């Protein structure tokens, strides 16, 4: 049998090396890795520019010769008089903006009391039109109501995208409108319960912010340090009240992704957290009883900022009012906060520490003044962990890189030297935040959930359209 065997070679060939895949991993698995998206964010930040501006020159009865200017329109005309300019600015401005889930409609409210629902596609096309300076086409509005009272917050109903809810610090009511009905009257009005002092006098409860759960519940913070929870299937009065440790105003509230935790912050610079699941809170939705609950925990932001050694060495850290809080849609444990002095940062709700901080130069450094009268309401881009916030001193917005990693230029452990040494093809473009100058001072921002277009509401009640331009490698 040995004669049939092939004799062994003295120098057998080595097995051939497998051909290495030379295409990028993106082409192989069809998805962008988070690190790669962060590398590309440097290009994204540089691609934004203002492409349109629409002043609030609307009318109550639409366009035409017989149309009557709305209250916001009339207040804009008052700005022409220098003697009353400061008073007019205090009564003017976009208070809040929000896109619906699909980015089809944009809702805005003003301090002068106007509720407007815009068709985004129409707004965007007019912004790209060379004749956009003539103003927005009012016939394209889905809804425009002049309610005759200051409006401070507006939200879309997550369970029914035909409904928007708005409220005011001047009243204890939440007005819910259905955009399918052409009516100036709300389809439903929710009220807080009457509160009195020990002497029997009424306690004013203005409502500052709104949040919807995925079911029928609506949540609103108030000027008395509380959070009111309504179950609309039961009553027009709250079924549950969440209380803080003080009676100061809560400016902003947010729900966690699971709709189980409520976060609120306000005048004293403290972030509170309540749990809607535990204890007797669950029974509040079963019985028609109002039950009050204290927060599960709270964080004083100034104390947490003092733990950052490099920041404490350069700044005198004092407690500041929180204008807004908001969760990062691409990283659910990052809670962004914005303070009245223009500082912004990230509170990691898993590790209970501040991980990112952005401290713009103070107003006195460049001879400008800080706007302390308007609450600024930033917004997140849907991806890339980029936080968009209006400047407190200049006309423009800050585009902040809050990526959850020390490679973010806002991270407290960021090292420019280490970032350059990271093995990445994109390191030739240094990561940095960007300030984008705009034509007016910004009070509120909203980012389109799909294409990233930014709509900025201004102190003069205008809407500014900020979009991405085509970017070339040579730029």
């Amino acid at each position: 049998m040995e004669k049939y065997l092939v004799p062994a070679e003295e120098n057998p060939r080595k097995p051939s090396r497998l051909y290495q895949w030379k295409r990028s991993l993106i082409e192989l698995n069809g998805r962008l890795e988070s690190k790669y998206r962060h590398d590309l964010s440097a290009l994204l930040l540089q691609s934004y520019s203002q492409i349109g501006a629409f002043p609030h020159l609307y009318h109550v009865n639409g366009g035409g010769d017989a149309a009557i200017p709305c209250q916001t329109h009339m207040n804009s005309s008052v700005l022409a008089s220098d003697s009353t300019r400061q008073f007019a600015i205090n009564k003017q401005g976009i208070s809040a903006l929000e896109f619906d889930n699909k980015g089809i409609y944009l809702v805005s409210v003003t301090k002068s009391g106007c509720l407007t629902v815009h068709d985004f596609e129409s707004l965007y096309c007019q912004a790209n039109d060379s004749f956009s300076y003539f103003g927005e086409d009012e016939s394209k509005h889905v809804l425009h109501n002049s309610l005759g009272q200051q409006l401070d917050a507006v939200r879309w109903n997550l369970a029914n995208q035909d409904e928007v809810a708005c409220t005011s610090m001047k009243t204890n009511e939440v007005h819910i409108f259905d955009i399918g009905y052409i009516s100036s009257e709300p389809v439903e009005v929710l009220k807080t319960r009457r509160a009195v002092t020990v002497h029997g006098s009424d306690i004013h409860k203005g409502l500052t912010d709104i949040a919807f759960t995925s079911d029928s519940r609506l949540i609103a913070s108030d000027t008395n340090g509380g959070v009111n929870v309504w179950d609309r299937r039961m009553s027009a009065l709250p079924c549950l009240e969440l209380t803080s440790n003080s009676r100061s105003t809560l400016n902003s509230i947010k729900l966690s992704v699971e709709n189980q935790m409520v976060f609120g912050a306000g005048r004293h610079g403290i972030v509170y957290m309540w749990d809607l699941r535990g204890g007797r809170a669950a029974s509040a939705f079963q019985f028609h009883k109002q039950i009050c609950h204290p927060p599960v925990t709270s964080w004083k932001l100034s104390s947490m900022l003092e733990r950052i050694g490099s920041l404490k060495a350069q700044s005198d850290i004092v407690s500041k009012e929180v204008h807004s809080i908001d969760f990062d849609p691409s990283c659910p444990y990052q809670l962004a906060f914005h303070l009245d002095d223009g500082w912004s940062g990230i509170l990691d709700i898993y590790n209970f520490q501040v991980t990112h901080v952005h401290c713009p130069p103070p107003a006195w450094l460049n001879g400008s003044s800080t706007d302390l009268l308007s609450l600024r309401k930033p917004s997140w881009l849907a991806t890339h962990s980029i936080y968009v916030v209006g400047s407190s001193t200049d006309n423009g917005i800050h585009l902040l890189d809050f990526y959850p990693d020390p490679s973010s230029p806002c991270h407290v452990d960021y090292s420019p030297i280490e970032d350059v040494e990271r093995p990445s093809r994109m390191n030739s473009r240094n990561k940095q935040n960007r300030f984008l100058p705009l034509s007016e001072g910004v009070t509120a921002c909203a980012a389109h959930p799909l294409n990233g277009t930014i709509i900025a509401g201004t102190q003069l009640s205008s809407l500014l359209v900020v979009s991405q331009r085509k970017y070339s490698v040579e730029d």
Side-chain angles (χ1 to χ4, degrees), residues 129-150:
D129 192 345
S130 59
F131 298 100
S132 63
Y133 57 81
F134 285 121
E136 185 181 358
D137 184 358
E138 293 184 63
S139 65
K140 303 296 185 180
H141 287 167
V142 180
L143 178 71
H144 177 231
N145 288 339
S146 186
L147 303 180
Q149 66 176 5
Q150 175 180 318

Side-chain angles (χ1 to χ4, degrees), residues 429-441:
R429 298 183 182 272
N430 188 28
K431 299 185 183 68
Q432 58 183 353
N433 303 310
R434 184 191 178 196
F435 174 73
L436 177 61
L438 301 177
S439 58
E440 298 178 21

Side-chain angles (χ1 to χ4, degrees), residues 374-416:
S374 301
L375 289 178
R376 292 179 299 278
K377 298 182 179 180
S379 178
W380 285 97
L381 294 188
T383 57
H384 300 92
S385 293
I386 293 175
Y387 195 52
V388 184
V389 56
S391 172
S392 61
T393 57
D394 301 303
N395 294 346
I397 55 176
H398 293 281
L399 301 172
L400 306 179
D401 180 353
F402 279 166
Y403 184 75
D405 186 84
S407 61
S408 163
C410 291
H411 199 280
V412 296
D413 296 325
Y414 174 71
S415 173

Side-chain angles (χ1 to χ4, degrees), residues 267-409:
R267 187 157 294 171
H268 286 175
I270 299 175
V271 178
Y272 301 95
M273 182 180 75
W274 296 271
D275 193 337
L276 293 176
R277 299 167 297 176
R280 296 164 57 199
S283 65
F285 302 104
Q286 182 176 356
F287 303 102
H288 295 269
K289 295 181 180 180
Q290 180 192 23
I291 300 175
C292 299
H293 284 283
V296 175
T297 188
S298 62
W299 303 275
K300 190 172 184 179
L301 291 177
S302 60
S303 300
M304 304 185 78
L305 291 171
E306 286 182 343
R307 300 176 191 171
I308 306 173
S310 58
L311 182 63
K312 186 178 181 180
Q314 302 176 55
S315 307
D316 183 18
I317 300 174
V318 295
S319 183
K320 294 289 186 179
E321 180 178 7
V322 180
H323 279 199
S324 178
I325 58 174
D326 197 4
F327 277 103
D328 182 354
S330 57
C331 186
Y333 61 84
Q334 287 204 142
L335 180 66
F337 59 86
H338 181 67
L339 308 180
D340 66 349
D341 59 355
W343 288 22
S344 302
I346 293 294
L347 173 62
D348 186 330
I349 63 171
Y350 288 175
N351 298 319
F352 309 127
Q353 61 183 1
V354 173
T355 57
H356 299 68
V357 178
H358 175 256
C359 309
W364 55 264
L365 195 61
N366 55 9
S368 58
S369 60
T370 304
D371 176 24
L372 300 176
L373 300 174
S374 301
L375 289 178
R376 292 179 299 278
K377 298 182 179 180
S379 178
W380 285 97
L381 294 188
T383 57
H384 300 92
S385 293
I386 293 175
Y387 195 52
V388 184
V389 56
S391 172
S392 61
T393 57
D394 301 303
N395 294 346
I397 55 176
H398 293 281
L399 301 172
L400 306 179
D401 180 353
F402 279 166
Y403 184 75
D405 186 84
S407 61
S408 163

Side-chain angles (χ1 to χ4, degrees), residues 9-16:
E9 298 182 6
E10 295 182 359
N11 298 317
R13 290 181 301 174
K14 295 181 180 179
S16 60

Side-chain angles (χ1 to χ4, degrees), residues 96-118:
L97 293 165
E98 189 176 53
F99 279 101
D100 66 350
N101 288 341
K102 296 181 179 179
I104 299 175
Y105 299 121
L106 171 75
V107 63
S108 66
V109 290
T110 68
K111 288 184 180 179
S112 302
C114 284
L115 168 67
T116 312
V117 178
H118 310 258

